[in-house]
Amino acid sequence: MASVEVKNICVVGAGNMGHQIALSAALAGYKVICTDISEEILTMAEKFADTYLPERVAKGKLAEDEARAARARISFTGDLTEAAQDADMVIEAAIEKLNLKHKIFADLDRICPPHTILATNSSYIVSSKIAGVTKRPAQVCNMHFFNPALAMKLVEVVKGAHVSDETVETVMDVCKKMGKIPVMLQKEIYGFLVNRIVSAIKTEALYIHDMGVASPEDIDAAVVHALGHPMGPFRLLDLTGIDLTYYVGMERYQETGDPKYKPSPIVVEKFVNKEWGRKTGKGFYNYCK
Ligand code: NAD
């Protein structure tokens, strides 16, 4: 198969990551349809596009005609078929649950044309665990953006053993056209590069916190001022979503049976109380005015 010429991109899931991935793609010149099962999330995603683009223009970071053109290239729908039927590439950014991703990829395989590449933005789930539900495993791969996706340059592209060279080449090209810096992983590994490293820091920070040694503020201050990170692990947990940390830990624990992956007591408590970080207004920090 020759590398795919990508013009139309469908983004599945318009939450924390999806709405910004979709807007990044529209700004890069792709025609984008963003879909979600939640009308409320879709409305928020559309409102975000309507405020973000004029703000960039006001700040002198984007020309007015470019903003107008990008806005015209992106649309939002709750209908997966409408969103995916003409896509050359789909970027799935729905919540981090394997059975949900199986359902979405099986649907996409049925809806999309044969040439369509199906990429997942999953933080931890390698695409070989998803590709089997489709009839096109060579066109299913990981394309892992970072949060916030409009600002963060890195994208991890993973060449699992089932993924064709053409697929990886196309995905790398799309990343570059989006102004990103893609890095290619030559084989699948749980957590890819960055999350393996960050998880080690987060796990230790949560352990120290749960031992009653120091507050989230003080642990964050230590990491920011000693290690030079732009934010500490607790602010990062709030940004990425404590629900995500909970789901990832539970999936990994159920898969391996290894208690080290069990979400820490404070993560469980915050998950149950719906204190999921920025997205719910409260996590380790308070975001409500
Ligand atoms: P989120 O909860 O903010 O958004 C997920 C969205 O998926 C929700 O709006 C939900 O309504 C939607 N959804 C659920 N089922 C759906 C379906 N069947 N069809 C369409 N939409 C559906 O989650 P998020 O933080 O944006 O994470 C999304 C994916 O991106 C996850 O796989 C996660 O691992 C990955 N990721 C997250 C981050 C992060 O920092 N949050 C960073 C990189 C990658």
Side-chain angles (χ1 to χ4, degrees):
M1 193 185 99
S3 64
V4 174
E5 197 198 342
V6 178
K7 289 185 176 157
N8 299 333
I9 293 182
C10 163
V11 177
V12 179
N16 226 341
M17 294 301 292
H19 76 284
Q20 294 209 12
I21 294 171
L23 201 48
S24 302
L27 280 162
Y30 295 106
K31 191 154 184 294
V32 182
I33 307 185
C34 190
T35 184
D36 200 290
I37 47 164
S38 160
E39 277 303 322
E40 192 189 340
I41 294 285
L42 279 176
T43 306
M44 277 166 60
E46 192 155 10
K47 273 196 188 139
F48 178 82
D50 287 334
T51 49
Y52 175 83
L53 293 169
E55 271 172 24
R56 299 292 287 173
V57 173
K59 285 182 185 160
K61 307 262 186 202
L62 187 67
E64 203 169 342
D65 57 337
E66 282 175 40
R68 211 175 304 117
R71 184 63 189 87
R73 280 192 292 266
I74 186 167
S75 58
F76 301 86
T77 175
D79 183 340
L80 183 67
T81 302
E82 185 191 333
Q85 65 191 355
D86 295 323
D88 304 306
M89 179 185 283
V90 179
I91 305 170
E92 172 274 320
I95 48 181
E96 187 78 346
K97 288 187 177 166
L98 183 59
N99 55 2
L100 174 71
K101 295 198 191 279
H102 279 166
K103 161 94 178 68
I104 292 172
F105 275 72
D107 287 345
L108 288 170
D109 193 41
R110 193 173 30 78
I111 295 166
C112 294
H115 72 273
T116 309
I117 288 173
L118 307 179
T120 175
N121 180 51
S122 171
S123 303
Y124 289 92
I125 301 169
V126 289
S127 71
S128 59
K129 292 205 167 155
I130 304 173
V133 303
T134 75
K135 294 191 187 74
R136 60 181 93 197
Q139 291 156 244
V140 178
C141 78
N142 290 91
M143 183 184 194
H144 182 222
F145 291 82
F146 289 81
N147 191 1
L150 276 158
M152 296 293 280
K153 293 271 183 211
L154 192 77
V155 181
E156 293 170 327
V157 179
V158 186
K159 189 176 177 338
H162 60 288
V163 185
S164 71
D165 290 341
E166 292 78 10
T167 297
V168 169
E169 208 176 287
T170 307
V171 173
M172 296 286 284
D173 283 350
V174 169
C175 291
K176 287 177 198 157
K177 195 171 165 196
M178 285 169 75
K180 303 296 182 194
I181 299 169
V183 290
M184 207 228 286
L185 279 69
Q186 308 281 353
K187 54 168 87 166
E188 292 189 332
I189 183 168
Y190 177 80
F192 315 128
L193 304 179
V194 176
N195 278 345
R196 285 188 81 89
I197 297 164
V198 169
S199 286
I201 295 174
K202 280 188 196 164
T203 303
E204 195 56 28
L206 286 162
Y207 178 68
I208 293 167
H209 171 273
D210 287 352
M211 295 253 304
V213 174
S215 67
E217 288 82 356
D218 284 347
I219 298 169
D220 277 357
V223 170
V224 169
H225 299 296
L227 302 181
H229 291 197
M231 70 178 79
F234 291 95
R235 280 229 181 264
L236 188 58
L237 280 156
D238 277 0
L239 178 71
T240 53
I242 290 160
D243 55 328
L244 176 63
T245 300
Y246 176 85
Y247 291 136
V248 166
M250 283 310 285
E251 289 242 14
R252 190 71 174 147
Y253 171 56
Q254 278 156 8
E255 194 180 303
T256 62
D258 188 335
K260 82 174 178 205
Y261 294 113
K262 250 187 174 173
S264 88
I266 188 69
V267 167
V268 175
E269 186 186 313
K270 294 215 170 279
F271 176 77
V272 170
N273 293 336
K274 260 206 153 197
E275 291 177 7
W276 294 353
R278 279 172 186 260
K279 67 169 89 170
T280 57
K282 189 164 191 274
F284 288 100
Y285 294 86
N286 202 338
Y287 302 92
C288 297
K289 289 194 182 140

